[in-house]
Amino acid sequence: MTESRFDEATPSGALTLSTLGGHAAGQLLRLCDIAGLDTAVAGSYAQTMTDVLGPVAERPLDLPPPTPTFLSDDQTPVEFSLSFLPGAAPSLRVLLEPGYGAAGLTQNGRTGLRVIREMARRWDFSTDRLDELEDLFFPASPQGPLTLWCALELRPGGIPKVKVYLNPAASGAERSAGTLREALTRLGHPEAFDSLPPAAGYPFLALDLGDWESPRVKVYVSHPNLAATEAGLLSRANAGPLPTEVEEFFRTAAGLDTDAADGADVRLDRRPVLTCHSFTDTASGTPTGFTLHIPVRDYVRHDGEALARAESLLLRYGVDPAPLGRSLSAVTARRPEDGVGLIAYLALAHQQGRPPRVTAYISSEAYAVRPPAVVESPRAEAVG
Ligand code: TRP
């Protein structure tokens, strides 16, 4: 819970009753500053975020979450991420659930589609690729845990890049693979599904909409009980990362490189590692991008540990880690050591023809902070 009902983060410094939207807007404005966005642009992005959230933005934070959401552990429908490349300010994104607070998933999905279509009109992009999939992902009674999320990449010009996340299990978990195969085929990637690595599940399908140089279709795959050496073999991209690079990222993010003795075959058995396979080139069935997502929050005692791991990864990739530490202070006044989950995931992204990027996903914690773990080191079990 937030300590105060008053939000000191409003741009004017005025005391206002603390609302979900006010809380998230304050965080967004402070993060925009770290990402080097100017104040006017930041203000318009804060407004866009509150518009996307709709009526729940006005909800006082001393009321409990109106509905559950799978978007974050504490049921906040907002998550930030900072993506880092050497020699540049981090790029800021925000993930949102437009249908949060709706009475049921059917309504949640309808709101999601309406909000995306409003954005498309406002910023003049096409929703054709989403429209083609509507029957697959928005059946009359969709299954959970989500219907539609959107991520906005907050660019300097004031017009965000838009990504939409859909649930392959919407028409039933047992139909996920079929739904995904059909969606990929309709989008012009009939061979994509067969190029994916072995999967325990497919939590998301994501689409780039709008003004992208080469819009991607991205398939997320979950890998429970994964070991670093196995992670190294999951990319199916042509010019993807070397296995050793993926393994090293995995070990550092999971905290396994400190004790070399068992690091090699420790499996992450708390929350599954995810990989993401992106498709841009319709001529071949081969992905052009690969991302490894480590749910670091389940393999640390507290966020001080997560931050230290993130900083050492950033240094390895030639990136100044200082903005990440500042971004944690931009979202919360608590010390990193006093909770766990502020850094939800650490990710390594490879996209053909671009330098690798390191991304940190940062929770809003509007509703709750998970207390630090008291046990020794809750990271993983050695393979028996
Ligand atoms: N909260 C969900 C999870 O932890 C979904 C999610 C939110 C997610 N942000 C993410 C998944 C970033 C991967 C990367 O799985």
Side-chain angles (χ1 to χ4, degrees):
M1 283 294 158
T2 47
E3 285 95 312
S4 149
R5 301 181 69 226
F6 296 96
D7 190 347
E8 289 144 317
T10 51
S12 62
L15 290 180
T16 53
L17 189 63
S18 187
T19 58
L20 178 58
H23 174 84
Q27 294 174 319
L28 183 103
L29 292 172
R30 292 184 295 269
L31 289 169
C32 282
D33 188 44
I34 293 168
L37 298 169
D38 75 48
T39 324
V41 166
S44 87
Y45 283 143
Q47 185 62 53
T48 298
M49 177 176 66
T50 7
D51 291 348
V52 169
L53 291 174
V56 292
E58 306 298 323
R59 190 178 166 90
L61 273 184
D62 52 3
L63 295 180
T67 52
T69 175
F70 177 54
L71 195 144
S72 70
D73 293 354
D74 77 324
Q75 319 302 316
T76 307
V78 177
E79 183 183 76
F80 302 100
S81 60
L82 283 170
S83 195
F84 294 87
L85 280 176
S91 91
L92 173 64
R93 298 96 57 95
V94 60
L95 177 66
L96 301 166
E97 179 165 326
Y100 181 73
L105 278 179
T106 304
Q107 198 50 44
N108 181 308
R110 287 207 189 108
T111 303
L113 284 174
R114 173 177 53 76
V115 166
I116 297 298
R117 287 173 180 145
E118 284 165 10
M119 284 184 197
R121 276 195 293 279
R122 172 166 177 202
W123 292 308
D124 193 29
F125 63 79
S126 161
T127 59
D128 287 355
R129 297 197 318 149
L130 176 61
D131 300 343
E132 274 177 79
L133 308 179
E134 191 171 335
D135 59 315
L136 299 173
F137 293 92
F138 302 88
S141 310
Q143 315 262 310
L146 74 143
T147 63
L148 180 150
W149 293 343
C150 77
L152 304 175
E153 197 170 312
L154 307 181
R155 295 184 291 185
I159 298 179
K161 289 209 222 174
V162 179
K163 294 179 264 193
V164 174
Y165 296 80
L166 304 172
N167 175 19
S171 299
E174 72 294 346
R175 301 240 282 263
S176 296
T179 298
L180 205 48
R181 183 188 288 277
E182 171 65 16
L184 289 165
T185 302
R186 289 190 199 173
L187 294 168
H189 301 284
E191 284 151 36
F193 187 82
D194 291 319
S195 77
L196 297 170
Y202 304 99
F204 316 106
L205 174 72
L207 299 176
D208 291 341
L209 294 181
D211 170 28
W212 296 79
E213 214 176 283
S214 28
R216 299 157 302 173
V217 183
K218 302 192 289 179
V219 181
Y220 288 77
V221 173
S222 73
H223 309 278
N225 299 310
L226 193 71
T229 46
E230 296 167 339
L233 303 173
L234 292 173
S235 173
R236 296 295 181 268
N238 252 335
L242 291 175
T244 50
E245 183 188 350
V246 175
E247 269 176 51
E248 278 161 23
F249 186 94
F250 183 115
R251 285 206 184 93
T252 303
L256 302 174
D257 51 4
T258 42
D259 32 284
D262 67 357
D265 43 8
V266 170
R267 296 177 177 280
L268 300 192
D269 63 352
R270 299 194 161 233
R271 188 185 301 268
V273 168
L274 303 181
T275 58
C276 175
H277 307 264
S278 64
F279 298 88
T280 40
D281 171 21
T282 44
S284 84
T286 312
T288 52
F290 172 80
T291 306
L292 177 76
H293 292 275
I294 305 288
V296 62
R297 66 193 184 283
D298 288 293
Y299 302 96
V300 288
R301 279 166 295 191
H302 53 69
D303 286 307
E305 244 173 54
L307 177 60
R309 292 185 199 167
E311 287 172 337
S312 81
L313 287 167
L314 290 171
L315 285 170
R316 186 179 308 162
Y317 282 86
V319 173
D320 172 14
L324 180 60
R326 281 191 273 129
S327 73
L328 299 192
S329 316
V331 295
T332 182
R334 74 165 173 87
R335 297 184 316 153
E337 293 72 22
D338 292 340
V340 63
L342 199 52
I343 304 185
Y345 278 90
L346 290 173
L348 173 65
H350 271 257
Q351 186 68 34
Q352 205 173 78
R354 315 225 166 144
R357 282 182 294 115
V358 174
T359 304
Y361 291 81
I362 299 170
S363 305
S364 171
E365 294 189 341
Y367 289 115
V369 174
R370 198 205 298 181
V374 282
V375 291
E376 241 286 294
S377 187
R379 10 151 265 210
E381 296 299 320
V383 175

